[in-house]
Amino acid sequence: MPEKSSKGLFAWAMYDWANSAYFVMIQTFVFAAYFAQSIAENETTGTALWGNMIGLAGFVIAISAPFLGSIADEGGRRKPWIAFFTTLCVIGCSMLWFAEPSSDFIWFALSMAFIATLGAELSFIFYNAMLPDLTTSLTIGKWSGWGWAMGYAGGLVCLIIGYFGFVEYGADVFGLDEGSLQNVRITFLFTGLWYALFSLPMFLKTEDVPSKNKSMSVAVKDGMRELKNGIAMLKDEPNIWKFLLARLFYNDGLATIFAMGGVYAAGTFGFDTGQIFMFGIALNVTAGLGAFGFSWLDDISGSKTTIVWSLVGLIVPVVAVLFVEAELWFWVWGLLLGIFVGPVQASSRTFMGRLAPQDKRNQMYGLFALSGKVTTFAGPVMVGWITLLMDNQRWGMSAILLLLAVGLALMLGVDEVKGTTREEVPIIQN
């Protein structure tokens, strides 16, 4: 590829490095566990409240994503949207520094985490839509996988710095008060700064599509019309809607793992903050290796094949994690699960790029986000309420297994495709 294109793609992948800080530090590991253990009245209530917040955010994202994608298609450029939602997430993460370990801060903490979640998730609609215009059918799978691998590498480095730089030695080096958990809370401020800093290469080096020079009102009007047409178009695109339906389920399972994994480790296995950091570090290593290693499989064997085998690779460890009692086996199966998290996410992004008409990619990625978010509130809410009813986190987390299994079954009915444009997309029938 031309040197300029390669630099732009690497800068694009750096945004995954930046964005991953939110997911590892706020949504999955550190803040989620901190909220359940130190802010909520007890871990059972904390699990339910956290699940409900993630669910509500998922609902808002689901109903707004297709509209935003359609508007962006009509307006042309994607970077302004990414910049806005990145700023939203940076503010939300940074404000969590003020969420002290007291039940008085429950609603403040949930509100700021809600804002951060919206920013992180909605920015990815426009970020994902950039990839097919930056690469070709020969390398789209590789770059999508490398992007996810960069994300896990970024999450890994962020966790290492957060733990050793602040949690473990923050009191000695920076004079942070461990009694009010300032050594933990400062990692949330660090997350916001990380996201802001490492998103800059994408804004500076990656090419954006040209503006269509439409006013916002015209873009909104045209976008709403195109959204209606896009949804209607799905009737004539069975492979797209079958894929989106399958992803609706298996992505809900993944989202629930991310949202509730840290809370589960803290509540069922008694992980403290240090152990959660170390588990997060190890999990990001296996997830990054999986995303990097499977990136070539996507281009060689196809996105569908990669997704199917990754889902099988997720289901087995999930079953094991629900039943094991020893902390050692939780580590073993949890890290094995991480290997398959990256490939299923990266190949799903690639598959949408292969399926989407070239002039409707923002819109299709909006529907892609819809399929990933329209019911994501269901998984965390199911976990929260089942946990409350059964007074047992294992029963609550069993909802993940059902979501992954249904997604796998539906994915088997989707046809494989190659290429990234309508002209180069042969269908490989099952």
Side-chain angles (χ1 to χ4, degrees), residues 38-170:
S38 303
I39 297 181
E41 294 177 358
N42 56 67
E43 290 175 356
T44 300
T45 302
T47 299
L49 287 172
W50 185 255
N52 288 337
M53 185 281 293
I54 294 293
L56 178 60
F59 178 75
V60 173
I61 293 163
I63 61 175
S64 60
F67 297 99
L68 293 172
S70 296
I71 293 169
D73 271 327
E74 294 304 312
R77 299 178 65 202
R78 290 147 183 166
K79 283 186 182 179
W81 294 92
I82 299 174
F84 173 76
F85 289 117
T86 296
T87 302
L88 201 65
C89 186
V90 168
I91 292 172
C93 292
S94 301
M95 291 298 291
L96 290 174
W97 155 258
F98 298 103
E100 298 180 15
S102 165
S103 58
D104 294 338
F105 290 87
I106 285 179
W107 298 112
F108 172 78
L110 289 174
S111 298
M112 292 301 103
F114 178 81
I115 290 171
T117 302
L118 292 184
E121 296 281 6
L122 289 173
S123 67
F124 241 56
I125 297 171
F126 307 99
Y127 169 73
N128 286 340
M130 296 179 78
L131 180 59
D133 292 322
L134 296 171
T135 186
T136 70
S137 62
L138 298 177
T139 58
I140 186 173
K142 179 181 73 174
W143 277 104
S144 183
W146 285 5
W148 281 109
M150 286 285 287
Y152 289 116
L156 170 64
V157 175
C158 191
L159 282 165
I160 290 173
I161 296 174
Y163 180 66
F164 292 103
F166 299 111
V167 175
E168 189 71 9
Y169 301 109

Side-chain angles (χ1 to χ4, degrees), residues 220-300:
V220 169
K221 181 179 178 180
D222 292 347
M224 294 303 98
R225 184 183 66 251
E226 288 303 311
L227 174 61
K228 182 179 178 180
N229 294 339
I231 294 174
M233 183 189 73
L234 290 180
K235 293 187 296 184
D236 301 319
E237 298 283 352
N239 213 41
I240 293 181
W241 69 254
K242 285 179 182 178
F243 166 60
L244 293 177
L245 181 62
R247 184 173 181 269
L248 182 148
F249 285 93
Y250 73 70
N251 196 72
D252 280 7
L254 283 175
T256 307
I257 291 172
F258 298 145
M260 312 303 292
V263 175
Y264 182 64
T268 300
F269 292 91
F271 277 33
D272 58 24
T273 300
Q275 288 175 303
I276 289 172
F277 263 100
M278 297 309 294
F279 183 72
I281 289 168
L283 188 63
N284 271 266
V285 171
T286 61
L289 291 174
F292 186 79
F294 276 75
S295 60
W296 282 278
L297 179 64
D298 190 303
D299 288 323
I300 296 170

Side-chain angles (χ1 to χ4, degrees), residues 2 33 58 65 85 107 142 173 177-178 201 211 216 220 233 267 281 290 307 311-312 341 368-369 406 408 428:
F85 289 117
W107 298 112
K142 179 181 73 174
V173 177
D177 179 20
E178 292 184 348
S211 172
M216 179 59 71
V220 169
M233 183 189 73
I281 289 168
I307 293 169
L311 288 174
V312 173
V341 167
F368 179 76
V406 173
L408 172 60
I428 303 173

